[in-house]
């Protein structure tokens, strides 16, 4: 789908409510499917990625029913049963493939996980290697999907991951629930901790010590889960509010888990006018409303080290924000951006350059020089990547000439409501 975006002539005002967090929605379905008992999951994501997870667990025999379009009833005895083909599509979703691998590795049946073109290019060695150390048997095409997982009895390991990846950590903790003894995962920096919070909420024997998490073999007990709004979706609106002249609006129901809220810190470092209101906790996760105001005098900043896992998915739209900040914004230690739905460093730099943003690719990130007057007047590719599509839309709102975004339908992966919410603010 082609989307044409014109400079927005009015300021953005009003109030929007951010839909369900993708990471938490995935986990709510996965963990409830392997837990004992019945529960309700409220505010489940309407994104295609989470629906890939949902379909997969239905195929594994779990009783999942929609009570309305955002509410699920899930009933399980904690056991999974293979479908007739043994093949389970994961669509575009890395979270589905990597986390489900941890669950399937310890089952008493074999499974094959397949993905779309983008997912089939993404690295799976990061989970295959440690799962193999636990006793798993996984065949792949040189570390890429399809993954043939031959279920085995697993044994816990003490694993130190080179990358801070919540997907790797979660995969191993899920395998650990079904492995003899205990499983410990240590990462260089703490990645998003939704798995730890939810496993703890569902009664797992889990301990966290700085950057290490340990889980013991054991069962989960189903409990109702309310999914908070997605800060990664809110990020597009945070940046819009800061860069579209005269804007002043409230973004409601935003998950503010500190392991995800790196963008808030970066906006503050850049001098952005942002305020957190009505903070509370829902199903173990922090949530609040964000008021965002247009900020004329943004300044550049450096983003690196333990900032990175806390805002990894927000970096494309942060690049757009940095184009409106005075000075050089430098992003380092973000080489894993090359392994997302697209090579997000290369693709971001090539497309933003087309519309006149001064951005340079580096091995592990990028450098943006601002403040730029975005010219626009170009056609941008989205490379199967939902976050690029929405970041380009945000840039288009302040570009002099109309921009054309090819493949805008990729927004359906995480945020089908994106444009409708934008229209509420115009
Ligand atoms: C996710 C973790 C992140 C993130 C992805 C979702 C998750 O990936 O980029 O969109 O839900 O665990 P990594 O853990 O590989 O960094």
């Amino acid at each position: 789908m082609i989307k044409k975006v014109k400079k927005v002539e009015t300021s953005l005002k009003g109030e929007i409510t951010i839909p369900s967090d993708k990471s938490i929605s995935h986990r709510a379905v996965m963990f409830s499917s392997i837990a004992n008992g019945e529960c309700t999951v409220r505010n489940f994501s309407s994104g295609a990625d989470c629906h890939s997870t949902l379909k997969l667990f239905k195929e594994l025999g779990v009783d999942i029913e929609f009570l309305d379009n955002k509410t699920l009833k899930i009933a399980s005895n904690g056991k999974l049963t293979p479908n007739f083909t043994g093949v389970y599509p994961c669509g575009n979703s890395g979270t589905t493939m990597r986390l489900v691998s941890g669950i399937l590795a310890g089952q008493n049946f074999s499974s094959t996980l397949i993905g779309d073109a983008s997912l089939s290019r993404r690295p799976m060695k990061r989970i295959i290697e440690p799962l193999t150390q636990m006793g798993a048997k996984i065949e792949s095409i040189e570390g890429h999907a399809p993954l043939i997982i031959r279920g085995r009895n697993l044994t816990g390991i003490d694993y130190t991951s080179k990358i801070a990846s919540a997907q790797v950590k979660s995969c191993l903790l899920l395998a650990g629930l079904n492995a003899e003894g205990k499983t410990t995962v240590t990462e260089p920096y703490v990645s998003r901790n939704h798995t730890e919070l939810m496993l703890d909420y569902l009664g797992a024997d889990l301990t966290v010590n700085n950057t290490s998490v340990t889980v013991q073999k054991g069962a989960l007990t189903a409990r109702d889960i309310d999914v908070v709004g997605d800060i990664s979706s809110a990020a597009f609106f945070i940046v819009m509010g800061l860069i579209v002249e005269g804007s002043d609006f409230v973004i409601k129901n935003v998950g503010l888990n500190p392991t995800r809220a790196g963008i808030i810190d970066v906006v503050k470092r850049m001098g952005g006018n942002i305020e957190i209101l009505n903070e509370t906790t829902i199903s173990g996760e922090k949530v609040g409303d964000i008021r965002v105001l247009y900020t004329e005098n943004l300044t550049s900043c450096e983003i690196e080290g333990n900032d990175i896992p806390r805002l990894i998915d927000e970096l494309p739209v942060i690049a757009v924000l940095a184009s409106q900040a005075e000075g050089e914004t430098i992003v380092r230690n973000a080489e894993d951006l090359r392994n997302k739905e697209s090579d997000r460093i290369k693709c971001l730099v090539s497309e933003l350059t087309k519309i006149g943003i001064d951005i340079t690719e580096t091995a592990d990130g990028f450098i943006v020089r601002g403040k730029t007057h975005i010219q626009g007047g170009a056609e941008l590719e989205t490379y199967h990547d939902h976050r690029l599509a929405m970041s380009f839309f945000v840039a288009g709102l302040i570009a002099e000439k109309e921009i054309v975004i090819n493949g805008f339908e990729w927004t359906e992966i995480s945020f089908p409501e994106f444009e409708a919410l934008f229209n509420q603010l115009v």
Side-chain angles (χ1 to χ4, degrees):
M1 186 224 288
I2 288 173
K3 175 65 56 193
K4 295 183 177 174
V5 187
K6 278 203 175 83
K7 185 170 180 171
V8 61
E9 296 298 348
T10 58
S11 48
L12 306 177
K13 294 270 161 78
E15 193 175 281
I16 53 169
T17 299
I18 287 296
S20 177
D21 187 276
K22 179 160 89 77
S23 290
I24 302 174
S25 287
H26 278 298
R27 287 161 173 80
V29 168
M30 293 179 192
F31 300 4
S32 304
S33 293
I34 56 166
N36 282 303
E38 200 177 285
C39 70
T40 304
V41 175
R42 283 179 286 264
N43 196 31
F44 180 71
S45 167
S46 51
D49 267 7
C50 295
H51 281 254
S52 294
T53 291
L54 181 111
K55 275 188 223 133
L56 197 150
F57 281 92
K58 277 186 161 181
E59 289 295 314
L60 286 165
V62 181
D63 185 3
I64 308 179
E65 191 193 324
F66 271 99
L67 298 182
D68 59 47
N69 63 352
K70 285 182 176 180
T71 313
L72 302 173
K73 197 164 156 202
I74 305 181
S76 176
N77 59 3
K79 305 243 177 326
L80 302 175
T81 46
N83 71 4
F84 179 64
T85 59
V87 178
Y88 306 95
C90 301
N92 187 251
S93 175
T95 308
T96 308
M97 186 168 282
R98 296 197 177 115
L99 271 61
V100 167
S101 295
I103 295 174
L104 293 176
Q107 302 295 324
N108 58 4
F109 55 85
S110 293
S111 324
T112 300
L113 296 181
I114 57 171
D116 71 0
S118 153
L119 182 53
S120 303
R121 278 195 301 267
R122 297 178 66 183
M124 294 297 149
K125 261 197 192 125
R126 56 182 63 194
I127 55 150
I128 296 173
E129 279 176 6
L131 285 175
T132 304
Q133 288 176 29
M134 295 177 81
K137 180 102 182 60
I138 302 176
E139 289 154 37
S140 68
I141 302 187
E142 292 178 6
H144 296 91
L147 304 181
I148 302 173
I149 303 175
R150 308 206 185 274
R152 289 279 188 284
N153 290 334
L154 305 178
T155 311
I157 54 167
D158 189 341
Y159 186 71
T160 301
S161 175
K162 284 197 205 85
I163 46 172
S165 161
Q167 295 183 351
V168 171
K169 172 175 64 179
S170 305
C171 165
L172 300 180
L173 294 175
L174 288 166
L177 284 178
N178 207 4
E180 270 328 303
K182 55 184 188 181
T183 300
T184 300
V185 186
T186 304
E187 37 183 6
Y189 304 111
V190 178
S191 63
R192 63 189 66 188
N193 68 354
H194 305 302
T195 293
E196 295 91 304
L197 295 181
M198 201 180 288
L199 286 182
D200 184 57
Y201 180 73
L202 301 181
D205 183 346
L206 179 126
T207 47
V208 178
N209 191 354
N210 296 320
T211 58
S212 295
V213 191
T214 301
V215 74
Q216 300 272 352
K217 182 173 183 161
L220 304 177
T221 307
R223 278 177 80 180
D224 291 353
I225 297 169
D226 281 279
V227 183
V228 300
D230 198 325
I231 190 166
S232 299
S233 300
F236 302 107
F237 288 97
I238 293 174
V239 173
M240 271 182 215
L242 293 167
I243 67 175
V244 173
E245 239 177 280
S247 298
D248 177 359
F249 57 85
V250 174
I251 311 171
K252 292 184 78 101
N253 187 39
V254 184
L256 295 171
N257 178 320
T259 64
R260 288 285 296 283
I263 185 165
I264 308 280
D265 299 344
V266 161
V267 166
K268 286 184 179 160
R269 274 190 239 156
M270 294 174 98
N273 209 335
I274 192 171
E275 212 180 320
I276 310 284
L277 313 162
N278 306 321
E279 262 188 86
T280 178
T281 302
I282 297 177
S283 299
E285 293 280 353
K286 265 197 188 168
V287 58
D289 302 334
I290 297 177
R291 180 175 175 207
V292 55
L293 284 95
Y294 170 66
T295 309
E296 202 181 346
N297 300 313
L298 292 166
T299 48
S300 61
C301 73
E302 299 194 1
I303 304 172
E304 61 191 346
N306 64 359
D307 290 332
I308 300 299
R310 299 176 61 239
L311 46 64
I312 185 80
D313 292 338
E314 288 66 80
L315 285 168
V317 78
I318 287 175
V320 176
L321 177 65
S323 76
Q324 301 310 300
E326 209 55 60
E328 227 175 49
T329 294
I330 305 176
V331 174
R332 300 190 188 90
N333 313 123
E335 55 276 9
D336 210 33
L337 274 185
R338 296 193 185 276
N339 297 316
K340 297 296 175 187
E341 285 80 336
S342 67
D343 175 340
R344 276 191 189 150
I345 298 180
K346 187 167 157 250
C347 300
L348 184 69
V349 170
S350 74
E351 301 315 288
L352 291 187
T353 302
K354 286 185 190 166
I355 55 171
I357 290 182
D358 185 350
I359 180 168
T360 310
E361 177 175 353
T362 61
D364 67 346
F366 51 82
I367 301 170
V368 181
R369 287 165 214 89
K371 180 175 186 171
T372 338
H373 179 72
I374 303 181
Q375 294 135 29
E379 200 170 313
L380 308 187
E381 302 301 328
T382 48
Y383 305 95
H384 303 196
D385 192 330
H386 54 128
R387 300 207 194 276
L388 291 186
M390 290 181 276
S391 300
F392 299 158
F393 185 100
V394 175
L397 297 179
I398 57 163
E400 208 42 57
K401 293 195 197 120
E402 179 180 272
I403 67 163
V404 175
I405 307 172
N406 288 326
F408 197 70
E409 69 278 8
W410 286 102
T411 53
E412 296 284 322
I413 286 292
S414 60
F415 199 3
E417 306 86 348
F418 173 72
E419 228 190 321
L421 288 181
F422 168 72
N423 289 332
Q424 279 182 33
L425 295 173
V426 182

